[in-house]
Amino acid sequence: NAGVTQTPKFQVLKTGQSMTLQCAQDMNHNSMYWYRQDPGMGLRLIYYSASEGTTDKGEVPNGYNVSRLNKREFSLRLESAAPSQTSVYFCASGTGETQYFGPGTRLLVL
Amino acid sequence: GDSVTQMEGPVTLSEEAFLTINCTYTATGYPSLFWYVQYPGEGLQLLLKATKADDKGSNKGFEATYRKETTSFHLEKGSVQVSDSAVYFCALSDLNTGGFKTIFGAGTRLFVKA
């Protein structure tokens, strides 16, 4: 039982490049989330998916897109990376109120 | 909208000292309250939670009581250890039309010295 897994662990991009962050969970949770964590700002919700086939914007969705590929997988795409998207990205899943987090992806945009 | 405010860090304590990290919240409904902990290089883990007023959540020697009258959920531990060094996040979760939404505080970093 791996819980929530994320790939890659670390990525460096140049401004304007695109990439997809992958997330998978094996806990059969309906809901999945993408957050970014910046110093002094806690976690901010980018997008979430309450169930397979649905996605909704969170607090900071601009510059990102998501795909809920199936119940297990929820990917986050940066179409044209900007330095302001340098951050640590966490995927989480949950059923009900409690969330379970992956180990994070550290992204640096130059 | 809903919000969570927690004390700024870092908090630096000696081993076996008493810990309090303050957390207050604003919510329109009746949220559940949480403390999550993040160890270096890892994701957040649930530490404890409370789902209604006057409930006390506890785990690993940490505890917090849901105080509706003061809208607070302060984290306490009687005797901290070096291994408790981490970032602690207070959070609330409320049911909205799109499902459960969780709001996190900014986090409080704790350093415990041997």
Side-chain angles (χ1 to χ4, degrees):
Chain A
N1 191 340
V4 180
T5 57
Q6 292 183 236
T7 54
K9 284 187 168 49
F10 180 72
Q11 184 73 44
V12 179
L13 291 178
K14 295 181 180 176
T15 297
Q17 287 185 316
S18 63
M19 79 162 294
T20 300
L21 282 65
Q22 306 287 353
C23 173
Q25 54 95 5
D26 61 2
M27 295 175 282
N28 202 36
H29 289 160
N30 287 324
S31 300
M32 297 187 73
Y33 309 83
W34 275 105
Y35 294 92
R36 59 178 289 172
Q37 182 180 29
D38 301 293
M41 302 191 74
L43 274 75
R44 292 183 292 169
L45 182 65
I46 305 171
Y47 271 92
Y48 69 101
S49 171
S51 61
E52 186 179 353
T54 68
T55 60
D56 284 288
K57 295 178 180 178
E59 184 185 351
V60 288
N62 291 345
Y64 305 96
N65 285 301
V66 290
S67 295
R68 183 74 183 266
L69 304 169
N70 47 54
K71 192 171 187 179
R72 289 187 64 247
E73 298 172 286
F74 189 39
S75 62
L76 178 72
R77 183 160 177 84
L78 287 70
E79 291 291 352
S80 179
S84 61
Q85 294 178 304
T86 293
S87 188
V88 181
Y89 291 84
F90 288 100
C91 177
S93 70
T95 180
E97 305 168 310
T98 303
Q99 295 186 18
Y100 300 83
F101 285 80
T105 294
R106 190 172 295 272
L107 177 65
L108 175 62
V109 183
L110 302 175
Chain B
D2 294 357
S3 66
V4 174
T5 303
Q6 58 183 108
M7 63 187 286
E8 286 190 30
V11 174
T12 302
L13 296 173
S14 297
E15 209 164 23
E16 299 183 4
F18 185 86
L19 169 71
T20 300
I21 300 178
N22 291 335
C23 171
T24 57
Y25 68 92
T26 303
T28 52
Y30 300 93
S32 294
L33 301 177
F34 301 79
W35 279 99
Y36 284 85
V37 58
Q38 183 180 31
Y39 298 104
E42 298 183 10
L44 279 69
Q45 305 172 24
L46 178 66
L47 180 60
L48 54 84
K49 72 176 187 181
T51 58
K52 60 183 188 298
D54 300 325
D55 267 2
K56 179 185 284 188
S58 61
N59 186 26
K60 299 181 182 179
F62 291 90
E63 58 182 36
T65 302
Y66 191 142
R67 301 283 188 203
K68 193 164 185 292
E69 64 275 14
T70 55
T71 62
S72 64
F73 192 56
H74 304 321
L75 182 68
E76 297 182 335
K77 186 176 186 183
S79 176
V80 294
Q81 306 300 311
V82 171
S83 57
D84 293 326
S85 297
V87 181
Y88 292 82
F89 292 89
C90 185
L92 67 81
S93 184
D94 210 349
L95 185 59
N96 291 272
T97 52
F100 285 100
K101 293 273 186 67
T102 301
I103 307 294
F104 291 88
T108 302
R109 184 176 296 275
L110 170 66
F111 292 104
V112 180
K113 302 180 297 184

